[in-house]
Amino acid sequence: MITVWGRATSSNVQMVMWAIGELRLEHKRLDVGGAFGGNDTPEYRAMNPNGLVPVFRDGEGPILWESAAIVRYLGATYGDEQFWPSSPAARADVDKWAEWIKTTFGPAFLPTIFWTLLKPADKRDHAAFAAAEKRVKTLAIMLDARLAEGDYLGGSDICFADIIVGTLLYRYFTLDFDRADAPHLRAYYDRLTARPAYATHAMVSYESLREK
Ligand SMILES: N[C@@H](CCC(=O)N[C@@H](CS)C(=O)NCC(=O)O)C(=O)O
């Protein structure tokens, strides 16, 4: 049995849960982190010294953290050829976008767009927000050009890299800010929203994270 420690409102937990959902794996998820707390105890830090969610364990396997590493573990262990390409070249060709979303798009979008919009207007750094909006537009256009090549990153169906890339798109498309004109990205998001596992695990309200 797979166990996931982490609140459903965390995008990094959502990524892992969406992968579990796509792969139809038996699991249990424990509410930890945020308002639930529980991630700063000695027992929790023994599992993840960062004190962050998610933490993951598959049966008696190693305790894992870092959401993208967990999705790759799930792909390698349970995915078919479409979900986890066996060719290193084919896999790296989609994995580069997974890395990019974690290291480039996410850091541009999450702290300055997502978390700013969850603050009251009088507490926002408007100049930083405007700069981030511009940067995220440029990045969205890059992703749009890649998604013009096919329905999913790996062709006609979903692969592990779509999970790492697609999770944040619920926040990206439901927040009120000036987005790039990116029709392929929009069509990709619409395809994701039609997937039951995405709807269940990634389209999770962030209202409880809003700063009063
Ligand atoms: N790079 C880590 C980041 C993990 C992370 O930042 N988790 C956040 C939630 S998205 C967290 O644990 N925040 C503290 C909390 O929820 O209490 C990953 O991808 O798993």
Side-chain angles (χ1 to χ4, degrees), residues 29-194:
R29 186 185 59 74
L30 307 170
D31 276 323
V32 175
F36 297 99
N39 49 332
D40 197 24
T41 62
E43 295 76 21
Y44 191 85
R45 283 196 181 262
M47 294 199 296
N48 181 356
N50 300 291
L52 297 172
V53 296
V55 164
F56 171 100
R57 193 169 198 199
D58 185 359
E60 297 302 306
I63 292 167
L64 303 180
W65 35 268
E66 284 302 334
S67 53
I70 297 166
V71 171
R72 291 185 182 100
Y73 163 81
L74 288 168
T77 309
Y78 299 108
D80 61 12
E81 179 63 29
Q82 167 63 40
F83 193 88
W84 181 257
S86 54
S87 144
R91 196 163 66 237
D93 197 38
V94 293
D95 204 8
K96 70 187 180 199
W97 286 99
E99 276 299 298
W100 177 87
I101 209 93
K102 275 289 200 185
T103 59
T104 304
F105 185 93
F109 170 72
L110 279 172
T112 321
I113 304 276
F114 178 72
W115 286 109
T116 297
L117 288 173
L118 294 193
K119 288 182 181 177
D122 61 344
K123 289 194 187 167
R124 295 177 189 169
D125 179 340
H126 295 283
F129 184 81
E133 232 178 12
K134 203 167 157 215
R135 169 89 177 127
V136 167
K137 265 191 183 179
T138 305
L139 298 175
I141 286 167
M142 286 170 57
L143 185 55
D144 187 67
R146 174 62 180 80
L147 292 170
E149 292 174 23
D151 281 1
Y152 292 95
L153 290 167
S156 59
D157 205 353
I158 201 162
C159 73
F160 76 100
D162 292 294
I163 301 221
I164 300 169
V165 166
T167 303
L168 283 183
L169 294 181
Y170 171 69
R171 293 177 176 186
Y172 175 85
F173 278 106
T174 55
L175 285 166
D176 185 16
F177 72 105
D178 189 19
R179 279 180 292 273
D181 180 20
H184 304 292
L185 180 59
R186 176 74 218 196
Y188 177 71
Y189 172 67
D190 289 343
R191 271 192 290 282
L192 297 183
T193 63

